[in-house]
Amino acid sequence: MLNRRAVIKAIATGGALVGAGVLMPRLAIAAWNNAAFVAQSQAEAIKALLGAKPVASDQVVLQAPGIAADGTLVPVTVKTSLANVESISLFVEANPNPLVAEFIIPEGTEPSVSTRIRIYTSSAITAVVKADGQLLSNSQETKVTIGGC
């Protein structure tokens, strides 16, 4: 049989759990690099996210279509054979916010990502790989026939 104290204790415990659930997304967002995601140019976004300008390299393999029929879902794959890859980032120069995605690559993981991105208009897609303190990149032009953003 439940008494008044048991009911109040159950309500307080439930409220504490709901409160903790509300705070968890805020903790995840705290690690988000807001300056990089709201940057207006690709150069600003790269500097805010990575701190330096990358060097073009054929060791970063970027696969994206030359012509995308629809800019809302453009498939992109980035691979590299470099060792000690820390992150792979994708930028679209003509998008209102050029930083599209950043993938943190855990140690011992194959440095390869595949995703679908939105492209506002025909533009260069740039992949930047951070490995062993170096920033290496590769770009590819993609023509969009229907806008995506």
Side-chain angles (χ1 to χ4, degrees), residues 49-50 84-88 128-136:
L49 183 67
L50 303 168
N84 303 319
V85 173
E86 298 172 35
S87 69
I88 297 175
V128 179
V129 173
K130 183 177 182 181
D132 279 334
Q134 298 179 10
L135 296 176
L136 303 174

Side-chain angles (χ1 to χ4, degrees), residues 53-63 78-82 125-131 134-140:
K53 185 176 179 183
V55 177
S57 173
D58 61 350
Q59 291 181 310
V60 177
V61 179
L62 171 64
Q63 297 172 333
V78 181
K79 299 177 184 178
T80 184
S81 59
L82 295 167
I125 299 171
T126 303
V128 179
V129 173
K130 183 177 182 181
Q134 298 179 10
L135 296 176
L136 303 174
S137 70
N138 198 349
S139 295
Q140 179 179 330

Side-chain angles (χ1 to χ4, degrees), residues 21-73:
V22 170
L23 292 177
M24 291 309 250
R26 291 189 186 269
L27 293 174
I29 290 173
W32 182 42
N33 188 333
N34 191 44
F37 276 99
V38 299
Q40 298 297 308
S41 73
Q42 182 169 311
E44 289 174 17
I46 290 173
K47 185 173 182 174
L49 183 67
L50 303 168
K53 185 176 179 183
V55 177
S57 173
D58 61 350
Q59 291 181 310
V60 177
V61 179
L62 171 64
Q63 297 172 333
I67 297 175
D70 186 0
T72 58
L73 289 173

Side-chain angles (χ1 to χ4, degrees), residues 67-144:
I67 297 175
D70 186 0
T72 58
L73 289 173
V74 179
V76 176
T77 300
V78 181
K79 299 177 184 178
T80 184
S81 59
L82 295 167
N84 303 319
V85 173
E86 298 172 35
S87 69
I88 297 175
S89 305
L90 290 171
F91 300 87
V92 177
E93 190 172 19
N95 275 6
N97 300 104
L99 175 57
V100 177
E102 179 188 26
F103 300 93
I104 305 301
I105 309 298
E107 188 176 333
T109 305
E110 180 180 342
S112 174
V113 295
S114 291
T115 189
R116 295 183 183 272
I117 63 173
R118 287 184 175 206
I119 301 178
Y120 180 68
T121 186
S122 299
S123 179
I125 299 171
T126 303
V128 179
V129 173
K130 183 177 182 181
D132 279 334
Q134 298 179 10
L135 296 176
L136 303 174
S137 70
N138 198 349
S139 295
Q140 179 179 330
E141 193 72 30
T142 297
K143 183 175 179 168
V144 176

